Amino acid sequence: RDPEIINTPAYKRMYLGEWFIDTDKLVYKFDAIKNYAPELPKLRAWERYYFVLGVDLGYDDATAFSICAYTDHDPTLYIIYAKKYTQLIIHDVAVKIRNLMNQYDFNTIIIDNANKRAVVEMRQRHSLPLTPAEKTGKSDFIELMNSDFRQAKIKVVGDLPELTEEYASLIWDDRTEKREEHPSCPNHLADATLYAWRYCYNYAWREREKLYAPQSEQ
């Protein structure tokens, strides 16, 4: 079902008997070459991008903002924005979300709901249309996202070093029986992107209709 299995370290070691750098512990199977796009593809006049913002809340730990974009006619999800900041108070987070809303017409804004009081305050005091992030089954959804990474159905657009650094260093914690990320590795932008990815529908894409009807017979 996944032809990219032939490129995994386990396959190369156990089936081909080759030496291979073990990246199995990496949580996300992001490839800097395969999962990169220099710019967001331009659309035709009647097409549009749908934008989803993911927010992971923190204070001493970073608050992260990630924007994903997709269309009706492309199976690829594009990550177009990823930034994180430390020591943001609730007002600061609300202002940054509002500023991003002025730049993008978001279909959905997904936010980490661990701090419910902060989310309720931003909804009521700042009138922000926030949707709580779905956090159950996180490791299972990471594996689904990894399938998209392997098939190049996710592209990081341009230079987003803070996100790609997290993808390159975030590993599973092998000290626990549960499948959990290592607590010493930053994952704030990775989480914000995962929240947004779960609310994107690029997988429901369909082929563009023909631009012109067949010419009638003369």
Side-chain angles (χ1 to χ4, degrees), residues 94-151:
V95 168
K96 287 190 178 297
I97 292 175
R98 181 65 65 185
N99 289 339
L100 290 171
M101 290 175 65
N102 291 334
Q103 299 175 54
Y104 300 92
D105 181 16
F106 292 118
N107 271 46
T108 316
I109 300 175
I110 312 300
I111 191 166
D112 173 16
N113 200 40
N115 188 341
K116 294 183 179 179
R117 182 177 299 174
V119 175
V120 170
E121 180 173 337
M122 284 188 284
R123 279 177 173 167
Q124 295 182 353
R125 181 170 296 184
H126 299 276
S127 302
L128 295 175
L130 306 177
T131 299
E134 177 57 61
K135 303 179 76 169
T136 58
K138 181 179 181 181
S139 63
D140 295 328
F141 278 96
I142 288 174
E143 289 308 312
L144 289 174
M145 191 175 185
N146 280 335
S147 179
D148 284 354
F149 275 125
R150 291 190 182 101
Q151 298 176 70

Side-chain angles (χ1 to χ4, degrees), residues 4 28 49 191:
E4 287 296 316
Y28 290 93
Y49 277 109
D191 278 357

Side-chain angles (χ1 to χ4, degrees), residues 20-33:
F20 200 81
I21 297 174
D22 189 355
T23 58
D24 283 349
K25 287 188 178 181
L26 286 176
V27 174
Y28 290 93
K29 307 309 179 186
F30 167 79
D31 184 300
I33 297 175

